[in-house]
Amino acid sequence: MAEKRGPSSVNIQAVAAQPSKKSGAPADQGKTPRPLRLGKDCEYEHELGRLQIELVKLHEWIRHEGLKVVILFEGRDAAGKGSAIKRITQTLNPRICRVVALGTPTEREKTQWYFQRYVAHLPAAGEIVLFDRSWYNRAGVEHVMGFCSEGEYEEFLHSCPEFERMLVRAGIMVIKYWFSVSDEEQERRFQDRMNDPTKRWKLSPMDLESRRRWAEYSRAKDEMFAVTDIKQAPWYVVDAENKKCARLNVIRHLLSLIPYRDLTPERLKLPSLDKSKYVRPPIQEQNFIPQVYSSGG
C-alpha cells in the first residue's frame, strides 16, 4: 500500500492560527495565535472527534515504524489525568496502546529495585504505553506521606534522570505530562465526587489527606521538577482548570511531538454472505438473557 502524506501532521500545528469561522476575523500576523474558544470558535465534541482521527493515524504510524512511546500522566488528585487518558485511548487499538495504572506495591515488589515493576510494562516496538501515575510516586505521595525513607527519596532524585536518559538511549520516547489545577477547582471536583455515587469510588482517605498537605505536595513537585525536567525527557505542564480544554490541548500537543504519515487502510468491500452450505439449529434452543429493554417503535 502506498503511503499517503498526512496533511494533518502539518495542519495540527497551523489550525490554531486560522481565523474564527463564526467571526471571520483575520488572524494576527507575527503574533502568538490566541486560543480557540470552546463554544465560540469550535465545538468540543467536533474538535475531539477530529483529533481522535489524528490519534488513529499516529498510532498506526507508530505500529508501522516500530516506535516505542511511553507517556506519563502525573499531577494533583482530581486534575483530570484519567479522563484525558480515556479520550486518548478511546478510538485506539488496545493491542498497540495500553494503559498501566499500578496499585500499591506488594511485599515482594518492595524488596526490588524501585524501577523494576515499571520496567516490566515498558513498550516493545510498535507500542504506546500510558502510565496513569508512574515511578514519580516516589517523589510525590511516597515522599510526602512518609511511605519511603529520606535516603530512598534522595536516591530516586539521583537515579531518575539517568534512568530516563537510559530509556531514551534505548530508543524509547519518554513524554511526561503534569496536570495542574488550583486548590479551589480541586475542592469543587472532590465535592462533586462525594455527591455522585458513580464517582465516589475515586475518592480515598489518601486523596483527602492530600488536601491537608497541599503546601507539602507543592514543595515536592517543585523539587522534583528542578531535578527531573531534563532535555531528553522534559516535563510538559497542562493547565487542567477546564477539563475539556485540557483534554484537547494535551492531545494536540502529543500529536505535535511525533511526526507521522497517514497510513489509513484503503476502504474494503464487504463480501456477500453464503448461507447455502449450512443449516443452523433452531434459534429457540439457545439461552437468551431476559429482554428487559427493547428498541422503541
Side-chain angles (χ1 to χ4, degrees):
M1 178 181 64
E3 292 183 359
K4 297 176 288 183
R5 170 65 68 175
S8 52
S9 59
V10 176
N11 290 348
I12 207 71
Q13 299 300 320
V15 70
Q18 294 177 356
S20 166
K21 292 183 179 180
K22 293 188 177 182
S23 65
D28 293 332
Q29 298 297 323
K31 296 182 180 180
T32 302
R34 65 169 174 78
L36 297 173
R37 297 165 298 177
L38 294 186
K40 294 185 178 180
D41 300 317
C42 62
E43 298 299 329
Y44 170 73
E45 292 296 341
H46 178 270
E47 193 71 4
L48 177 62
R50 186 181 69 84
L51 293 175
Q52 286 179 330
I53 291 174
E54 297 304 318
L55 283 172
V56 171
K57 298 175 185 177
L58 172 63
H59 101 302
E60 181 60 23
W61 177 256
I62 288 172
R63 184 200 64 79
H64 180 269
E65 293 295 298
L67 303 181
K68 293 175 282 188
V69 181
V70 166
I71 310 174
L72 310 186
F73 290 80
E74 295 286 348
R76 298 282 189 178
D77 294 319
K81 301 179 294 295
S83 64
I85 290 172
K86 285 181 181 178
R87 272 56 178 197
I88 290 172
T89 60
Q90 187 173 0
T91 58
L92 304 185
N93 185 340
R95 295 181 179 86
I96 298 174
C97 180
R98 53 191 169 88
V99 179
V100 175
L102 300 183
T104 305
T106 64
E107 291 302 315
R108 180 176 182 275
E109 288 173 332
K110 290 178 181 178
T111 68
Q112 296 175 344
W113 175 49
Y114 176 71
F115 296 98
Q116 188 167 336
R117 73 183 190 129
Y118 297 101
V119 169
H121 297 278
L122 292 175
E127 293 181 350
I128 310 167
V129 175
L130 290 77
F131 279 93
D132 186 354
R133 295 205 180 276
S134 64
W135 46 83
Y136 281 99
N137 278 342
R138 173 133 296 178
V141 61
E142 290 189 19
H143 173 56
V144 173
M145 302 300 296
F147 296 150
C148 68
S149 68
E150 191 65 23
E152 290 171 327
Y153 168 69
E154 293 293 341
E155 175 59 30
F156 173 82
L157 293 182
H158 176 76
S159 300
C160 185
E162 279 308 309
F163 172 68
E164 292 177 356
R165 290 187 183 102
M166 180 176 63
L167 296 182
V168 173
R169 289 196 300 270
I172 299 175
M173 186 174 187
V174 180
I175 302 171
K176 303 185 300 193
Y177 288 115
W178 178 271
F179 282 66
S180 179
V181 66
S182 68
D183 56 342
E184 295 86 1
E185 178 61 18
Q186 185 191 57
E187 180 175 355
R188 189 194 68 76
R189 294 178 188 180
F190 276 2
Q191 292 289 352
D192 178 59
R193 289 180 177 184
M194 287 189 285
N195 295 330
D196 187 342
T198 66
K199 296 180 180 180
R200 205 168 293 158
W201 63 268
K202 295 183 178 182
L203 275 178
S204 68
M206 198 71 63
D207 297 325
L208 301 181
E209 181 64 19
S210 71
R211 287 284 299 167
R212 193 174 68 84
R213 304 195 184 201
W214 180 272
E216 294 175 60
Y217 271 99
S218 298
R219 184 183 302 109
K221 178 255 186 180
D222 294 339
E223 292 174 353
M224 179 185 76
F225 265 46
V227 175
T228 62
D229 187 19
I230 58 177
K231 178 178 66 176
Q232 296 86 349
W235 279 104
Y236 298 107
V237 179
V238 181
D239 182 346
E241 202 73 1
N242 181 298
K243 280 189 175 184
K244 290 184 177 180
C245 293
R247 295 166 193 163
L248 298 180
N249 285 328
V250 76
I251 294 175
R252 279 183 58 109
H253 183 265
L254 176 60
L255 291 168
S256 74
L257 293 179
I258 308 174
Y260 62 97
R261 295 182 182 177
D262 183 359
L263 298 181
T264 303
E266 299 293 336
R267 189 183 297 271
L268 301 176
K269 182 178 180 181
L270 193 65
S272 58
L273 293 177
D274 182 2
K275 300 182 179 180
S276 61
K277 298 179 180 179
Y278 177 65
V279 178
R280 302 185 66 187
I283 195 172
Q284 293 81 3
E285 295 180 1
Q286 301 178 32
N287 293 317
F288 282 86
I289 66 170
Q291 193 168 355
V292 179
Y293 307 98
S294 65
S295 58

